[in-house]
C-alpha cells in the first residue's frame, strides 16, 4: 500500500495501524469516499457473533462518515456472514444496495484464495450512501 501511495503521488490517502473502530469517531462526518471490508472474521459460533464488525452501531457510524454517493463494500466467502450483512445494512436507511458480481478490480486476498481452495465462493455486497 505504501508503494502504491508513493508511486502514484497520492496525497489524499492515509494509513492507520490499529483498531479501525477506535479511529471511527475521529473521522469527520460525510468525509469518506468509501469503506472496504474484505473477508472480515465471521465469528461463526453463536456465542461469538457479538464480535462481528458488521453490526448496527458500526454500520450507522460508517453511514455517518460516508459522503453521499460513497460506498460500503463488504466481501465474504461465508454465506451466513453475507446474509448477516444484508440483514444489518437493511436497517440503515442511509445505505442502499446489495449483492453485486465480483468487481474485476478487487484484489484477491489470501483469505479469498484459502476459501476458494476449500470450495467457498466469495460474495460481494456494495451499498451506496444516499443523501
Amino acid at each position: 500500500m505504501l508503494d502504491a501511495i508513493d508511486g502514484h503521488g497520492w496525497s489524499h490517502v492515509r494509513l492507520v495501524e490499529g483498531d479501525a473502530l477506535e479511529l471511527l469517531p475521529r473521522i469527520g462526518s460525510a468525509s469518506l469516499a468509501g469503506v472496504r471490508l474484505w473477508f472480515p472474521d465471521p465469528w461463526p459460533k453463536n456465542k461469538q457473533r457479538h464480535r462481528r464488525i458488521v453490526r448496527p452501531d458500526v454500520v450507522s457510524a460508517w453511514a455517518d462518515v460516508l459522503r453521499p454517493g460513497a460506498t460500503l463494500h463488504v466481501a465474504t466467502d461465508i454465506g451466513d456472514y453475507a446474509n448477516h450483512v444484508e440483514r444489518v445494512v437493511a436497517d440503515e436507511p442511509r445505505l442502499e444496495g446489495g449483492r453485486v458480481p465480483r468487481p474485476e478490480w478487487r484484489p484477491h486476498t489470501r483469505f479469498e484464495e484459502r476459501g476458494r481452495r476449500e470450495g467457498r465462493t466469495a460474495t460481494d455486497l456494495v451499498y451506496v450512501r444516499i443523501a
Side-chain angles (χ1 to χ4, degrees):
M1 180 58 83
L2 292 173
D3 288 341
I5 292 168
D6 188 48
H8 289 91
W10 293 333
S11 61
H12 66 289
V13 177
R14 302 290 182 266
L15 297 179
V16 176
E17 182 178 352
D19 187 333
L21 297 182
E22 291 177 8
L23 175 67
L24 212 48
R26 297 177 31 204
I27 299 173
S29 179
S31 63
L32 296 183
V35 171
R36 294 182 180 155
L37 181 64
W38 295 337
F39 303 93
D41 193 328
W43 296 101
K45 296 178 183 173
N46 283 334
K47 66 181 180 180
Q48 299 172 330
R49 292 193 175 183
H50 68 280
R51 295 180 178 162
R52 288 180 168 179
I53 193 167
V54 176
R55 51 183 197 261
D57 61 320
V58 176
V59 170
S60 177
W62 285 334
D64 289 342
V65 298
L66 290 171
R67 64 182 181 223
T71 58
L72 167 62
H73 182 176
V74 181
T76 181
D77 61 353
I78 306 296
D80 174 66
Y81 201 87
N83 294 335
H84 168 81
V85 170
E86 288 179 310
R87 286 190 304 273
V88 172
V89 179
D91 289 337
E92 174 50 64
R94 296 172 290 173
L95 296 173
E96 290 183 345
R99 294 178 189 235
V100 298
R102 185 192 188 287
E104 294 279 331
W105 55 264
R106 181 172 61 72
H108 290 275
T109 71
R110 65 183 176 159
F111 298 105
E112 183 176 15
E113 294 300 326
R114 182 175 60 184
R116 184 175 296 131
R117 285 192 308 271
E118 295 173 3
R120 294 190 304 270
T121 302
T123 299
D124 284 81
L125 301 110
V126 176
Y127 298 91
V128 177
R129 163 74 196 272
I130 57 174

